[in-house]
Amino acid sequence: MKTAPQGGPSAPIVALDFVQAVDAAEVQRARAFAEPLLAGQPLDTGEEALAHADGVAAILAAIGAAPALQAASYLVYAGDFLNKPEEIVAKAFGESYASLVTHTRKLVQIQRAARAAKVGEEQRATQTERVRKMLLAFSHDLRVVLLRLASRLQTLRYFAASKTACPRELAAESQQVFAPLANRLGIWQIKWELEDLSFRFLQPDEYRGIARALHEKRVEREQRIETVRQMLEADLAGQGISAEVQGRPKHLYSIWKKMQGKGLDLERVFDLRALRVIVAGVPECYAVLSRLHELYRPVAGEFDDYIARPKPNGYQSLHTVVLGPDGKAMEVQIRTRAMHEHAEHGVAAHWAYKEAGARGYAGVTAAGDFEEQVAQARRAVLHQLLAWERDTTASEAALFDDRIYVFTPQASIVELSAGATPIDFAYAVHTNLGHRCRGAKIDGAMVPLNTKLKSGQTVEITALKEGGPSLDWLNAELGYLQSPRSRSKVRAWFNALQQAETVAKGRELVEKLLQREGKTAMRLEELAARLGFKNADALFEVVGKDEYSLRNIELLLRPPEPEPDADEWLAQRRTRPVQSGVPKGGVLVVGIDSLLTSLARCCRPAPPDAIGGYVTRGKGVAIHRSDCSNFREISQRSPERVIAVAWGEGKGGLYAADVLVEGSDRPGLLRDVLEIFAKEKLNVTAVNTQSVKAGNDTAWMSFTVEVTDSAKLSQVLRSVAQIPGVRAARRK
């Protein structure tokens, strides 16, 4: 048995058959998946869900949409009857289908809510415009738009076939939004049927009147058209031009519009007698036009060349009106087969390339610039949607002139406020992209970041791998940001940065306090909770802002000592013998010198400091320096417990004192300070150091030393202050 050589004529045919079989199987698999969910389930229109999905798939097939899109028509409606539709569809059919289900269902829900909203007649135009904007916003996936067009047509067909009254809001939305959208996408086959059905429901009397008038003379009109069709086809064949001549269908809504717009009666509307000539190529189009004008007299002012100058939606054809053999006007369209396919199916036909993917058709891999061609085609279609968006009346434009639509490099559409800049665009795409934005290109050309964008432009952002926004962006005079959302994102970034610095400062202050109090083992979260804060960062933030006194933490770490019982106090006085001279600690307590005394650790008094005494609970009298903040506070709270005290005359006692040294962080600084203490014969019992790397590096050093009197300590501190790099040396 002979087989065709590889790459021979039969190879593409076999591959095409295989691809078609796979695609058909995918549609059947989607229907089998959806059938148990949809069968017998009514939609809000009353139509059975499965019948509606079948109708949508049939419409999509008729306009040449890819089989994958036909399969999606079942999955979208099945999603209404699944608990987690996106997850289930993604698992069974893939992420592409899941995304389509998500976006289509979301758009359907928004449209239903818009129709259900009770608005006055004066607001109805605004509502309609919002629905149009919703469709435009979802156009980043044109499959969603095609599905919605097919679904709406199927809904109108259902109302017509079942002779059920169609809601006026739905019919108006179909006429004012969906039919113009189909026109922009070049899908004539859907456009004219949407218009005719909407016309039937919105203006039933006018519709029936035109339909009745056309029906009365239908046989006579069709006979005349058929006679002219046969004559023209035979004549063109005699001229060596191979052409297919068709009678054109009569669209009632377009007839009615021409009657209204031009004030014509029914017999004078050219669409009643119309032919379409389809040929192989463009030269033949003009040859047919020339021969047609030789055979029949053209009507002045009724010729349009849409081949040389295509319509915005890509439509191409030659239009002319001639006087037929009976002297009555007849419209003729002349186009190639490719032009005819595009006119009937529009974007649905060429968007099949996107569905085919890199494999192309019949398994043939596309050229290297395939993706770029697809992106260009996508941009061309989206430009038509943008043009449709701009085609509003003057009053509507006044309402909606505050929005623009621009493209990403991948041809996704982004909606922005009018006057938006590339930075606004970056923040609209992703907050992190906005923070890292450092440059922009518009339609491939580098521009300043404060350039105002216009609808239809393609914007590409240059961004750093890491980084944040500039404070200049918040300067309104420089014009970097127009969107309030973008400004709030920039402010939030700087607020977060400032908060982080404040928290770091507060943490440093709290940790230093814990070191001084010997409580470094305490958990910071526990400390914050005991002080009534949600977490440690909340405590650090208020401390860093100087909104919370560290004294509150000190009081928590050193709670007030219990007041002694009156009986215990008297018992101490009776049992403790009175001593003459200096009691323990070298402190003379005037009047009650037999009581137990202790030096307060918060201020560590030493002779000849001015001191005061405070009667504590169970620990006798605590001796504080007179300038101690703790002493001032407890004295104000309990003045009756303050007593006069004085240093005794004893000599040779040692007193602990805390010293704080601040200086520039450098090697050997601690050694130099300790050398001074050693030279002055001061015993150092504790050392704590900490370096802060922020701005100018700072070293904090805390020492506990033993001195005989504070005057000696003051001399030593003056010596320490002379050390290079030391900014301050003081007693705590």
Side-chain angles (χ1 to χ4, degrees):
M1 177 179 177
K2 292 184 179 181
T3 58
Q6 187 174 4
S10 65
I13 297 174
V14 173
L16 177 59
D17 291 341
F18 174 74
V19 171
Q20 290 174 339
V22 171
D23 289 337
E26 187 74 355
V27 176
Q28 290 303 316
R29 189 166 78 92
R31 191 183 189 282
F33 173 85
E35 185 174 5
L37 300 168
L38 301 182
Q41 294 288 349
L43 299 177
D44 57 351
T45 59
E47 185 181 11
E48 186 199 37
L50 183 60
H52 183 84
D54 285 335
V56 171
I59 291 170
L60 292 170
I63 64 174
L69 192 56
Q70 300 170 40
S73 63
Y74 294 101
L75 303 180
V76 165
Y77 294 100
D80 288 335
F81 304 96
L82 295 171
N83 289 331
K84 295 181 178 179
E86 291 79 9
E87 294 181 16
I88 295 174
V89 171
K91 187 174 182 180
F93 293 88
E95 292 294 338
S96 179
Y97 283 106
S99 172
L100 183 57
V101 168
T102 300
H103 290 118
T104 307
R105 293 182 68 241
K106 186 181 296 184
L107 180 57
V108 170
Q109 291 165 0
I110 293 173
Q111 287 179 254
R112 286 174 180 168
R115 285 199 304 273
K118 303 298 182 182
V119 296
E121 201 61 38
E122 67 281 358
Q123 295 176 298
R124 196 165 299 282
T126 303
Q127 282 291 83
T128 301
E129 182 64 18
R130 284 176 181 158
V131 173
R132 179 160 65 176
K133 285 179 177 291
M134 291 170 198
L135 280 165
L136 184 63
F138 278 87
S139 64
H140 61 277
D141 189 343
L142 284 177
R143 299 175 303 167
V144 175
V145 178
L146 292 174
L147 273 171
R148 293 305 301 137
L149 283 172
S151 175
R152 178 52 57 89
L153 177 55
Q154 173 58 28
T155 297
L156 295 184
R157 284 181 177 180
Y158 162 74
F159 282 119
S162 64
K163 294 182 169 52
T164 306
C166 176
R168 187 172 183 82
E169 293 80 6
L170 189 143
E173 187 181 83
S174 301
Q175 186 183 75
Q176 298 168 19
V177 177
F178 284 85
L181 174 58
N183 181 52
R184 282 292 176 183
L185 296 177
I187 313 176
W188 180 264
Q189 191 170 328
I190 287 182
K191 181 250 186 188
W192 73 258
E193 194 171 355
L194 284 171
E195 287 182 337
D196 277 7
L197 289 172
S198 300
F199 179 44
R200 172 178 177 174
F201 296 128
L202 291 172
Q203 296 168 282
D205 294 339
E206 290 86 342
Y207 177 87
R208 282 194 294 267
I210 294 175
R212 191 181 303 113
L214 289 174
H215 182 72
E216 288 172 355
K217 298 184 178 182
R218 178 178 60 83
V219 175
E220 176 186 351
R221 187 173 60 253
E222 288 180 352
Q223 287 177 346
R224 290 179 179 175
I225 284 291
E226 180 60 21
T227 300
V228 177
R229 189 194 71 77
Q230 291 178 0
M231 290 174 56
L232 180 59
E233 193 170 64
D235 184 85
L236 293 174
Q239 298 293 320
I241 302 174
S242 176
E244 177 186 349
V245 183
Q246 306 172 342
R248 279 187 39 217
K250 312 303 180 291
H251 304 313
L252 303 188
Y253 182 67
S254 64
I255 293 172
W256 179 80
K257 275 179 58 177
K258 288 183 179 179
M259 291 173 61
Q260 298 298 311
K262 298 184 178 182
L264 303 175
D265 58 30
L266 188 61
E267 286 300 320
R268 295 179 61 199
V269 177
F270 302 143
D271 274 358
L272 297 182
R273 297 156 50 84
L275 293 176
R276 179 179 293 129
V277 182
I278 301 175
V279 294
V282 173
E284 288 87 342
C285 290
Y286 289 100
V288 169
L289 177 68
S290 176
R291 182 59 183 165
L292 188 65
H293 284 181
E294 289 177 11
L295 291 173
Y296 307 111
R297 184 161 63 89
V299 176
E302 295 294 340
F303 170 69
D304 291 294
D305 187 347
Y306 294 119
I307 293 179
R309 288 176 300 204
K311 289 185 177 182
N313 62 7
Y315 174 86
Q316 289 183 293
S317 189
L318 297 176
H319 289 195
T320 187
V321 178
V322 297
L323 297 179
D326 57 359
K328 292 187 176 181
M330 176 177 62
E331 185 178 71
V332 182
Q333 294 177 347
I334 308 167
R335 60 178 63 152
T336 67
R337 175 63 61 183
M339 293 174 188
H340 179 65
E341 288 297 319
H342 180 82
E344 293 298 303
H345 302 155
V347 67
H350 87 256
W351 208 253
Y353 288 102
K354 180 177 186 298
E355 295 295 332
R359 74 181 185 196
Y361 280 91
V364 179
T365 303
D369 59 351
F370 174 80
E371 290 298 331
E372 177 58 27
Q373 292 173 356
V374 169
Q376 289 176 358
R378 182 184 178 89
R379 277 191 285 271
V381 172
L382 291 177
H383 272 294
Q384 297 315 309
L385 293 177
L386 291 176
W388 174 53
E389 166 66 19
R390 292 192 293 269
D391 286 348
T392 58
T393 64
S395 60
E396 287 176 326
L399 289 171
F400 297 102
D401 60 359
D402 61 338
R403 310 301 295 170
I404 62 171
Y405 299 89
V406 296
F407 300 113
T408 68
Q410 294 74 35
S412 296
I413 199 163
V414 177
E415 182 180 0
L416 299 168
S417 301
T421 67
I423 303 177
D424 291 315
F425 169 87
Y427 276 109
V429 173
H430 196 282
T431 299
N432 193 36
L433 179 64
H435 289 338
R436 297 182 291 109
C437 175
R438 289 300 180 272
K441 292 181 181 179
I442 295 180
D443 294 333
M446 290 293 296
V447 296
L449 287 176
N450 55 0
T451 303
K452 293 186 182 301
L453 301 177
K454 297 178 182 178
S455 283
Q457 293 177 326
T458 298
V459 184
E460 182 180 354
I461 297 298
T462 302
L464 299 175
K465 290 185 178 180
E466 295 180 357
S470 168
L471 273 173
D472 288 342
W473 295 359
L474 294 174
N475 187 337
E477 295 180 357
L478 298 178
Y480 284 106
L481 298 174
Q482 190 278 334
S483 166
R485 179 177 179 273
S486 300
R487 282 194 290 269
S488 68
K489 295 287 186 182
V490 175
R491 290 195 189 98
W493 191 89
F494 282 108
N495 289 341
L497 182 64
Q498 180 62 43
Q499 183 181 21
E501 293 175 353
T502 301
V503 168
K505 176 184 174 184
R507 174 186 287 272
E508 178 187 344
L509 294 172
V510 171
E511 288 179 344
K512 284 182 179 179
L513 174 61
L514 293 178
Q515 286 178 355
R516 290 198 304 269
E517 297 296 325
K519 301 287 187 179
T520 53
M522 174 173 281
R523 293 179 59 251
L524 296 174
E525 292 292 339
E526 178 186 349
L527 174 64
R530 291 176 61 185
L531 291 168
F533 290 92
K534 184 178 180 181
N535 52 45
D537 281 352
L539 169 62
F540 300 151
E541 184 176 359
V542 294
V543 171
K545 291 180 179 178
D546 293 328
E547 295 176 356
Y548 192 78
S549 174
L550 292 174
R551 177 62 56 200
N552 297 311
I553 303 177
E554 291 178 349
L555 292 176
L556 176 69
L557 300 176
R558 296 188 305 228
E561 297 170 351
E563 296 183 4
D565 254 7
D567 291 344
E568 180 184 349
W569 194 351
L570 291 174
Q572 285 183 349
R573 294 192 63 184
R574 283 196 300 268
T575 58
R576 190 174 180 87
V578 178
Q579 299 179 2
S580 59
V582 181
K584 183 179 179 181
V587 177
L588 175 64
V589 182
V590 178
I592 37 175
D593 50 345
S594 62
L595 290 180
L596 176 67
T597 62
S598 62
L599 300 179
R601 292 184 58 192
C602 58
C603 56
R604 296 194 185 276
D609 294 334
I611 54 175
Y614 181 81
V615 179
T616 67
R617 291 185 175 183
K619 293 185 180 179
V621 179
I623 308 303
H624 293 263
R625 284 159 43 190
S626 297
D627 58 358
C628 175
S629 57
N630 274 351
F631 183 62
R632 286 198 301 270
E633 185 175 335
I634 60 179
S635 297
Q636 291 173 0
R637 190 168 61 241
S638 304
E640 71 280 0
R641 295 197 171 274
V642 178
I643 60 173
V645 295
W647 293 109
E649 296 179 358
K651 301 293 183 183
L654 292 177
Y655 300 87
D658 289 332
V659 172
L660 183 63
V661 177
E662 176 189 353
S664 300
D665 192 13
R666 65 170 177 81
L669 181 61
L670 176 60
R671 180 200 60 210
D672 293 345
V673 175
L674 291 175
E675 283 182 356
I676 294 291
F677 289 150
K679 182 180 178 181
E680 297 294 337
K681 296 182 173 53
L682 292 185
N683 184 33
V684 179
T685 60
V687 179
N688 279 311
T689 65
Q690 185 175 9
S691 296
V692 180
K693 303 291 184 182
N696 54 344
D697 294 347
T698 301
W700 296 87
M701 294 178 286
S702 178
F703 303 90
T704 301
V705 298
E706 292 182 339
V707 296
T708 55
D709 60 71
S710 58
K712 171 71 172 177
L713 180 60
S714 299
Q715 296 173 6
V716 174
L717 292 180
R718 283 194 290 270
S719 299
V720 172
Q722 301 302 314
I723 296 174
V726 173
R727 301 191 191 115
R730 60 181 176 82
R731 184 180 172 194
K732 288 187 181 179

